Amino acid sequence: MKMQILPHQERFRSRIAFGLGAILGIGLMIGERGYIGDTWRLYSEDILFLTVQHIQLVLVSSGLAILVGVPVGIMLSRPRMQRYSEAVLQVFNIGTTIPTLALLALSITLLGIGFVPAVFGLWAATLLPIVRNVFQGLRSVPDYLKEAATGMGMTPLHILRSVELPNALFVIFAGIRTAVAVNVGTVPLAFLIGGGGLGELIFTGIDLNEMQMLMAGAIPVALLSIAADWILAKAQYWLIPRGVNPLRN
Amino acid sequence: MIKLEKLSKVFETPGGGSVIAADQVSMEVPEGEICVLLGPSGCGKTTTLKMINGLIQKTSGKIWVAGCDTDEQDPVQLRRSIGYVIQQIGLFPNMTIEDNICVVPDLLGWDKTKSRRRAGELLELVNLDPGIFLKRYPKELSGGQQQRVGVIRALAADPPVLLMDEPFGAIDPINRAVIQDEFLKMQTELRKTIAFVSHDIDEAIKMADKIAIFKDGVLEQYDSPDDLLARPANDFIASFLGQDRTLKRLSLLQVQDVMFGDQVRVMARDDLEKARGLMREVGHKNIVMVGPRGRARGYLHLNDILDSTGKVEEHYQGLPATVNIRDDLRSAVSKMFRHDTTWLVCVDDEGFFKGSITQRAISHALGATYRDSDVATGAAAEAL
Ligand SMILES: Nc1ncnc2c1ncn2[C@@H]1O[C@H](COP(=O)(O)OP(=O)(O)OP(=O)(O)O)[C@@H](O)[C@H]1O
Ligand SMILES: [Mg+2]
């Protein structure tokens, strides 16, 4: 699976991320003298407001994507759906090749301008990797485990809950991480269709050729993606049982 | 306990053809016995086994488990009452060993403290330290350890019936023999009714009370290992059992089944005259010298002492080898060849002299089946 990351890289990455975050945080606290301090003085109100909005966009759209993507992936992986699942996934794969900006543009035509179409566009972009990984994760649970479970008297629901999902969890989580990374990276574009977020500072900064305004948007965006990935990495490490977690031994 | 009647399975293949994986199989496994389903690859062993717990839907026929027609039972409940071991072991990687063992008790809603305690006891039964292993995950166990856990997991809810599909398949021969022995020891206490799939003849001979030999879905012969080896019903079975099937029977018999017990003996301080007298009396050419409490110490050969005088202790020779009365005939024969002798002294675990065994007695025993071997020993007695 291409979204799987080797454990040592993983640890290395989260450490780097943490280091960067710390440095930038310290930079922020340097006070009003430095470049960052100055930026903060000028834009702190905007930054705080837009960051909250930004986070809302991320949480709502990726939350909805998880809520929909996991059940859809589970359904596609059921033996009954086997005939259709490949076709559906093909559609999904074609979907992933559409640039996210185009997705956002498409959602304007459906829902107009504002928070809702932005969430919808982000949701659609985030959904695909989740569904794909849930499906593939469940499919890769060996048949003999399911057979052992059936032979011991588990019902299909039992097997899904206590055998299939736990054993697919790592792959599913990898999908969610990828999805959230895509999501966080795309959220600045939401501004373009009236969804708000830190994109406002970035794009306005570009338009006005105002470097400091651009940075006031870009730095928090970078910090947010680092933080999101860090949180998910920790969650992946701690939430997935040791027996099926290649990161823990 | 397990009874199959005209059980058949026909698989439809995608090409429109069909495979008869089981063809009118009728057999019965009595309570407390191990029945090994044996045969070449693709002969329908697994299919037959999986029909018993409903993992494969039968095409026709009847199955009774513990006196109940399985058609009249809910398959899920049925499976919880039958222990099941698959070839791939199938421990769930996401669960600790403890939780793996307790899968069925948990499904049955047993009290957790009770089932966890049982998990520990079961681990001890297969010589795994519960303190170390209960909280481990399957990937932290060796193949042999996993296989042991796979077996005790099937025993966790104490089902009367076990189905085992090549349970010791994925393991090296030395470890396999150890696990087989452990399992047989457990079985002497547990007395489960077991259907056991294997494609290894030696394993079948070792484990089985009865062996069912399959070929292309047909049950060819259903007999005790000894009867099977002594009287294969047709050429297929004979060639499947191998040219050396007579030698294989050696491992089915213990030394004490064939040896002559209650043998005359002399002590170190006896006169040679007494030894000669005893040998002539019973018509043997050898006599064993025992220690004060009856341990085998040495022997005298009649020809060596024909004209000698004195005490036994001045003339006896050391024993080249002895066999334990509970060894199988295979090791007895092997010792005879190694020491180029046709008779051996049989001793118990403490070394006490129990009897002697001769090559002729062994070949007579092989000529008869296990059951008739009492007769055979009588006939071979003069070999000493
Ligand atoms: N699901 C299936 N569909 C079609 N044919 C099958 C299916 N399962 C088994 N068969 C066929 O049924 C026959 C018996 O298979 P089975 O698995 O019972 O063999 P086996 O005796 O267990 O062999 P092995 O020692 O290799 O495990 C084989 O010819 C096999 O190809
Ligand atoms: Mg098989």
Side-chain angles (χ1 to χ4, degrees), chain B residues 62-120:
Chain B
K62 287 246 162 242
I63 301 168
W64 285 269
V65 174
C68 298
D69 186 340
T70 55
D71 287 336
E72 284 154 20
Q73 278 170 286
D74 171 32
V76 169
Q77 295 304 326
L78 176 75
R79 289 178 195 136
R80 289 177 188 176
S81 70
I82 298 178
Y84 183 46
V85 185
I86 65 171
Q87 173 168 9
Q88 300 89 341
I89 309 175
L91 297 183
F92 303 124
N94 55 306
M95 300 181 194
T96 58
I97 297 308
E98 182 175 43
D99 290 342
N100 262 291
I101 296 174
C102 294
V103 165
V104 181
D106 286 349
L107 287 172
L108 293 171
W110 283 21
D111 177 45
K112 290 252 177 188
T113 46
K114 182 182 151 198
S115 62
R116 307 297 128 154
R117 181 151 24 86
R118 181 158 169 78

Side-chain angles (χ1 to χ4, degrees), chain A residues 1-191:
Chain A
M1 190 138 312
K2 58 175 176 252
M3 18 199 96
Q4 272 187 11
I5 303 149
L6 292 173
H8 61 273
Q9 285 180 337
E10 186 82 3
R11 239 168 275 138
F12 188 61
R13 266 182 46 172
S14 55
R15 248 176 236 152
I16 295 233
F18 188 78
L20 276 178
I23 292 168
L24 286 171
I26 290 164
L28 270 179
M29 284 185 281
I30 283 173
E32 309 200 353
R33 254 171 296 152
Y35 180 72
I36 290 170
D38 192 40
T39 312
W40 177 251
R41 190 171 45 79
L42 284 173
Y43 296 104
S44 63
E45 235 166 89
D46 285 346
I47 291 176
L48 287 177
F49 176 77
L50 292 172
T51 302
V52 170
Q53 209 171 33
H54 197 94
I55 292 175
Q56 274 172 352
L57 277 169
V58 172
L59 288 182
V60 173
S61 61
S62 52
L64 286 175
I66 293 171
L67 280 182
V68 174
V70 173
V72 168
I74 291 175
M75 249 159 54
L76 286 177
S77 73
R78 295 305 86 191
R80 234 174 310 137
M81 295 291 291
Q82 197 150 12
R83 267 183 301 159
Y84 316 103
S85 56
E86 284 307 326
V88 174
L89 277 176
Q90 274 311 315
V91 173
F92 270 47
N93 279 335
I94 294 168
T96 12
T97 61
I98 303 175
T100 33
L101 190 54
L103 263 180
L104 287 172
L106 282 174
S107 64
I108 299 183
T109 61
L110 284 175
L111 299 163
I113 275 182
F115 185 76
V116 174
V119 166
F120 177 78
L122 291 168
W123 171 82
T126 314
L127 192 61
L128 311 178
I130 295 179
V131 171
R132 201 172 41 204
N133 271 44
V134 170
F135 176 80
Q136 278 169 351
L138 289 173
R139 270 296 208 60
S140 63
V141 174
D143 282 336
Y144 65 79
L145 284 186
K146 294 178 230 170
E147 193 199 292
T150 314
M152 294 167 77
M154 287 195 193
T155 60
L157 203 64
H158 253 118
I159 297 176
L160 176 65
R161 207 182 55 210
S162 34
V163 178
E164 288 183 90
L165 282 176
N167 283 292
L169 204 55
F170 191 78
V171 178
I172 294 176
F173 230 103
I176 291 177
R177 261 182 91 174
T178 315
V180 171
V182 170
N183 187 301
V184 173
T186 314
V187 171
L189 300 179
F191 161 71

Side-chain angles (χ1 to χ4, degrees), chain B residues 321-364:
Chain B
T322 60
V323 290
N324 190 293
I325 51 172
R326 276 198 298 278
D327 283 348
D328 60 16
L329 289 189
R330 227 165 115 143
S331 33
V333 168
S334 150
K335 274 189 181 153
M336 284 180 185
F337 284 141
R338 200 160 65 235
H339 298 286
D340 192 23
T341 168
T342 57
W343 74 286
L344 285 171
V345 168
C346 314
V347 297
D348 65 10
D349 293 337
E350 266 86 53
F352 287 106
F353 175 49
K354 289 291 170 188
S356 30
I357 188 167
T358 66
Q359 240 175 45
R360 277 193 67 187
I362 292 173
S363 44
H364 272 264

